[in-house]
Amino acid sequence: MSIKTKINNIKEEDYFKKANLHIHSNLSDGKIDFDELIKQAHKLGLTHISITDHNTIKGYYSSKFKDDEILIKGVEFDCFMNFCPIHILGYGIDINNKELNELCAKDEKHSKEDITRIFYSRNPKKTIDAIHCAGGIAILAHPCCYWTFNLDKFIKKLVDMGLDGVEVYYPYDRFRGVVKFHSRKKVFKIAEKYNLIKTGGLDSHGNLIE
């Protein structure tokens, strides 16, 4: 089954009960060990998760559970477009792909430190191309948070670069709920307009089990 089909088979209601495709471990700016997050996901009865650390796939090399059936290999790259920092998620990636690894951080501060990540943001077209080269799909993370007057035009520019989808099923709580310029309803309509894959996740940085 292709990664596109696998994710398209996840239903909207699943993203709030059984699926979380946006999780960070302590290998980037999260607090919890990579393998501990997978254990917690099983305890919660989740059926699909992706640990999407910033600019690194280290966890997938060292994890005892890297081939776990609920785990979709993922990453989140810091990029920059139209004077705006953006995040592009890659799902279903081959972690041994050369082009993808060339985009990854070479040290911890490029994964963990916000300021460093912003100053070393990647080109979105090269990022999308590398994700595709690694057999994955490229998804725009939390699109409601990007400062742009015309979100449709903003996303269309990324679609023209090869973007496959957008994060639609996302709670926008914590600081994301404050730094929010658009609605999920608008994102949903744009996704429908351009026939984009719709994904979702909690952008978890701590325990999955509270």
Side-chain angles (χ1 to χ4, degrees), residues 4-204:
K4 181 176 180 180
T5 300
K6 187 172 187 175
I7 289 182
N8 276 333
N9 284 342
I10 304 174
K11 299 176 182 178
E12 177 179 353
E13 57 267 26
D14 291 336
Y15 282 108
F16 299 95
K17 295 178 181 179
K18 298 179 180 179
N20 184 353
L21 301 188
H22 196 156
I23 301 170
H24 295 280
S25 79
N26 60 5
L27 292 174
S28 65
D29 57 346
K31 298 177 181 178
I32 310 302
D33 176 78
F34 193 98
D35 281 359
E36 176 59 27
L37 288 169
I38 300 171
K39 292 177 184 177
Q40 289 185 8
H42 276 288
K43 289 178 182 177
L44 285 171
L46 299 184
T47 57
H48 297 86
I49 67 166
S50 186
I51 300 177
T52 52
D53 284 322
H54 283 283
N55 311 316
T56 185
I57 49 177
K58 277 186 178 180
Y60 293 101
Y61 286 110
S62 59
S63 174
K64 294 183 293 183
F65 310 113
K66 62 183 177 183
D67 296 317
D68 193 288
E69 60 181 7
I70 71 169
L71 187 63
I72 294 172
K73 291 182 175 65
V75 64
E76 183 174 22
F77 285 116
D78 290 84
C79 301
F80 201 80
M81 188 183 81
N82 291 8
F83 306 103
C84 180
I86 65 171
H87 293 165
I88 296 178
L89 296 154
Y91 294 126
I93 51 172
D94 173 7
I95 62 171
N96 297 308
N97 178 265
K98 179 182 176 182
E99 286 78 7
L100 188 81
N101 275 275
E102 286 177 349
L103 275 187
C104 289
K106 302 301 182 284
D107 53 55
E108 286 190 357
K109 67 181 181 180
H110 288 84
S111 297
K112 295 186 175 185
E113 297 179 5
D114 290 344
I115 297 299
T116 303
R117 285 168 29 213
I118 289 173
F119 277 103
Y120 287 88
S121 293
R122 291 145 185 80
N123 176 283
K125 177 67 166 64
K126 289 182 179 179
T127 299
I128 291 168
D129 287 346
I131 290 169
H132 288 165
C133 189
I137 56 173
I139 307 293
L140 181 64
H142 39 70
C144 292
C145 296
Y146 300 128
W147 192 86
T148 174
F149 291 112
N150 191 328
L151 186 62
D152 187 310
K153 187 177 180 180
F154 188 85
I155 291 176
K156 178 60 166 59
K157 185 173 181 178
L158 288 165
V159 170
D160 290 341
M161 295 179 191
L163 187 76
D164 299 293
V166 291
E167 213 173 37
V168 175
Y169 312 120
Y170 182 91
Y172 291 98
D173 55 8
R174 305 190 311 278
F175 78 97
R176 293 286 185 203
V178 177
V179 185
K180 184 182 173 197
F181 305 103
H182 309 280
S183 69
R184 282 190 297 174
K185 185 177 180 180
K186 178 183 285 189
V187 175
F188 184 91
K189 287 182 177 179
I190 294 171
E192 290 282 292
K193 180 178 179 180
Y194 298 115
N195 193 31
L196 297 172
I197 300 167
K198 305 179 192 74
T199 72
L202 300 177
D203 201 356
S204 306

